[in-house]
Amino acid sequence: MLGTLKESAQAVIPISLIVLLLHLTIAPLPFWSFILFITGGVVMILGMSLFSLGADMAMMPIGQAIGTELTKSRKLWLILISGLFLGMIVTIAEPDVQVLASQVASIVSRPVMIGAVAVGVGIFLALALLRIILQFSLAKLFIIAYILVFIAAAFTSPDLLGVAFDSSGVTTGPITVPFILALGAGVSAVRGGKSSEEDSFGLCALCSIGPILAVSILGILSKAGLSESYPAATLSEVAAFPEMIAEYWLEIQGSFIDVLTVLTPILVIFLILQVFKLKLSRNRLLRIVAGLVYTLIGLTIFLAGVNVGFMPIGTYLGHSLASGSYSWILLPLSAFLGFFVVFAEPAVHVLNKQVEELTGGNISQRVMMIGLAIGVSLSMVFATMRIIFNISIWWFLAPGFGSALILMCFTPKIFTAVSFDSGGVAAGTMAAAFILPFYIGIADALGGNVMTDAFGVIGLVAMMPIVVILVIGLVYKIKTDKAQKHHQSHKEHKETVHS
């Protein structure tokens, strides 16, 4: 619990300090709105800690147990159908998906949005498991998938283009990642082979492609039915402590029902499998049930903190800065926010350590962190420029993903998987809970179209680390090739002298 508290605080506190600095200098907040923000941060830390603890106790063991049992059955159709269904269920429970869906609810209904994202993840999870079993080339699969993505995106509604790429970033969150990785590890371990360790990489990256495709198709099918305007967000009218408590309690009640609805199917499916197939020990079963309770309570509290404290203040600050005399600060502030969003994300540090180990220390954690920080800072600056100068997101997505697909043809295979996995890692919880609302406020203040101008920032944040890590992988390949040539040359020289 202490470990999860530290990680959650690490994600929330840096953004909170930046807001505090802005509040004390150029963008003062109303008193009770500021109190709601601070309490919202505390509530989010507590909720995310309980949720992460629950995910470790319940989601990973369930995923690994199911993955192992499915592969032991040797029935391909059962593995694929189960992957589809389980991918959908865990995505529905993902907090970042819930946060994004709540912000587009006025354009596309929340159930429809969550359903589209969940179907996309489920289909591509099944495809990812099929790749492990049949050993498809990951690079070729990425190329085919992104060609389909950009064809669908070209015909989708402009209002949902940015949302489609944002949905890719929010699916790789604290509940889907451990579950998907555990499921893949179970399938890969039973299959065996030399590549079983490498098979765990790239799973999350493949699953994050599905939502882009699904939401783009949704945009094609619902062009005529989309709302024409995005409703402006308003601050809560809380003016006293009892009113604040009442506001949180009302939000907790609504969130509890929503979370209970999405977690119940997971519990029911697990219990059915336990009775007929898994037959886990009593202690393991009680631990998993306790983990699901932690997940329920934690996710409920977390969503209340986001909806009451963080999102409204993010929108207010973006609007206040863009419409005031300090609008010049938007570009440097965006770069600053991007820098700290990366440093505050615990999963980024895990990724950096992973890459250092993979490269035998040739690519250090420090180099990785600097590269990712620069990449995400640039993506935030690009997102701000899009709004200020009314630039289409295509001018950033096409060159970004195009260069990534070209680079992966020249980098070691393991870097392809790690780089595409890293995109979702950088686009963490704060991207959906604060960064996106902040850009919604900016777009609203500058009179732009919020759907086409603000949405897409999470997609850009998820895209840049892919390019950065592929470049680092290319540098690593060049260094190792030079070292091997030098070693070979030295060896030949010694043999010549000896002879």
Side-chain angles (χ1 to χ4, degrees):
M1 183 63 183
L2 288 174
T4 57
L5 270 171
K6 181 182 176 182
E7 287 188 355
S8 302
Q10 190 177 325
V12 174
I13 289 176
I15 296 292
S16 300
L17 291 175
I18 292 170
V19 172
L20 175 61
L21 182 63
L22 292 171
H23 169 65
L24 295 174
T25 53
I26 60 175
L29 299 166
F31 176 77
W32 280 105
S33 296
F34 179 70
I35 297 299
L36 280 174
F37 176 78
I38 296 299
T39 53
V42 173
V43 168
M44 283 175 66
I45 291 171
L46 178 60
M48 185 52 69
S49 301
L50 285 169
F51 176 82
S52 299
L53 184 64
D56 288 341
M57 290 174 63
M59 302 310 296
M60 285 196 72
I62 290 174
Q64 195 138 18
I66 293 173
T68 302
E69 287 298 324
L70 285 173
T71 313
K72 280 180 181 177
S73 72
R74 302 293 177 184
K75 294 177 181 176
L76 186 60
W77 66 269
L78 182 61
I79 294 171
L80 297 182
I81 291 173
S82 300
L84 169 67
F85 196 59
L86 291 169
M88 290 172 62
I89 288 174
V90 295
T91 302
I92 290 170
E94 175 59 55
D96 295 354
V97 173
Q98 299 277 344
V99 172
L100 177 66
S102 68
Q103 294 179 81
V104 296
S106 61
I107 307 297
V108 177
S109 74
R110 201 160 174 244
V112 171
M113 179 66 191
I114 294 174
V117 174
V119 168
V121 172
I123 291 172
F124 272 74
L125 178 56
L127 187 62
L129 296 178
L130 183 65
R131 188 199 76 82
I132 293 175
I133 296 167
L134 302 181
Q135 290 294 285
F136 291 159
S137 165
L138 184 62
K140 288 178 182 176
L141 207 53
F142 277 139
I143 291 171
I144 294 168
Y146 274 104
I147 287 173
L148 291 175
V149 160
F150 278 96
I151 290 172
F155 293 99
T156 195
S157 165
D159 281 352
L160 284 187
L161 177 61
V163 176
F165 282 89
D166 283 346
S167 69
S168 169
V170 298
T171 49
T172 46
I175 192 167
T176 48
V177 169
F179 189 89
I180 288 169
L181 289 180
L183 189 61
V187 172
S188 185
V190 174
R191 183 195 172 278
K194 292 182 180 179
S195 63
S196 60
E197 186 178 340
E198 291 185 10
D199 285 336
S200 62
F201 298 109
L203 271 174
C204 294
L206 281 172
C207 290
S208 66
I209 296 173
I212 309 177
L213 200 54
V215 176
S216 295
I217 293 171
L218 178 65
I220 294 171
L221 298 175
S222 61
K223 272 186 180 180
L226 294 177
S227 172
E228 293 183 1
S229 61
Y230 189 89
T234 56
L235 289 178
S236 172
E237 296 182 359
V238 166
F241 184 75
E243 292 179 15
M244 183 179 75
I245 298 298
E247 184 90 3
Y248 274 111
W249 178 241
L250 188 65
E251 188 63 40
I252 285 172
Q253 287 177 304
S255 297
F256 180 83
I257 300 299
D258 291 341
V259 175
L260 183 63
T261 302
V262 299
L263 286 182
T264 299
I266 297 176
L267 178 60
V268 170
I269 291 168
F270 170 69
L271 291 177
I272 291 171
L273 288 170
Q274 165 66 15
V275 170
F276 293 103
K277 199 73 179 173
L278 299 176
K279 301 188 186 302
L280 302 177
S281 66
R282 183 171 175 271
N283 286 342
R284 286 188 69 187
L285 183 61
L286 289 174
R287 180 179 172 83
I288 286 172
V289 172
L292 286 171
V293 172
Y294 283 135
T295 303
L296 171 63
I297 297 170
L299 185 51
T300 299
I301 295 172
F302 169 78
L303 290 174
V306 170
N307 293 329
V308 175
F310 254 60
M311 284 202 305
I313 295 303
T315 304
Y316 178 85
L317 274 177
H319 193 285
S320 176
L321 290 172
S323 58
S325 56
Y326 293 97
S327 57
W328 58 267
I329 204 173
L330 288 175
L331 284 173
L333 179 61
S334 298
F336 191 66
L337 280 171
F339 192 81
F340 276 96
V341 161
V342 175
F343 267 87
E345 187 57 49
V348 168
H349 299 278
V350 175
L351 174 75
N352 293 347
K353 184 179 178 182
Q354 190 180 53
V355 172
E356 185 175 72
E357 290 172 356
L358 281 171
T359 60
N362 286 311
I363 304 296
S364 67
Q365 293 184 52
R366 183 171 174 272
V367 168
M368 279 289 295
M369 182 57 80
I370 291 171
L372 287 172
I374 292 172
V376 176
S377 290
L378 279 173
S379 67
M380 298 277 282
V381 171
F382 292 157
T384 307
M385 289 171 62
R386 272 208 324 122
I387 299 173
I388 294 174
F389 301 110
N390 195 25
I391 304 172
S392 168
I393 195 170
W394 279 111
W395 289 102
F396 301 100
L397 291 177
F401 282 106
S403 60
L405 294 176
I406 293 169
L407 280 168
M408 76 179 184
C409 298
F410 301 97
T411 54
K413 287 183 180 179
I414 193 66
F415 274 94
T416 297
V418 171
S419 65
F420 279 86
D421 278 347
S422 72
V425 167
T429 300
M430 284 300 100
F434 183 82
I435 299 301
L436 179 55
F438 180 74
Y439 279 91
I440 288 173
I442 294 173
D444 186 50
L446 295 180
N449 182 333
V450 169
M451 294 305 299
T452 57
D453 294 349
F455 286 89
V457 61
I458 302 175
L460 291 177
V461 168
M463 179 189 75
M464 288 303 294
I466 299 173
V467 178
V468 168
I469 292 179
L470 285 171
V471 169
I472 290 173
L474 187 61
V475 171
Y476 167 72
K477 186 176 185 296
I478 293 169
K479 285 175 69 175
T480 52
D481 286 349
K482 280 185 177 179
Q484 285 176 359
K485 285 181 182 177
H486 178 74
H487 177 72
Q488 185 65 28
S489 175
H490 183 66
K491 184 180 177 183
E492 290 173 357
H493 177 72
K494 283 181 69 177
E495 288 175 351
T496 304
V497 170
H498 180 70
S499 62

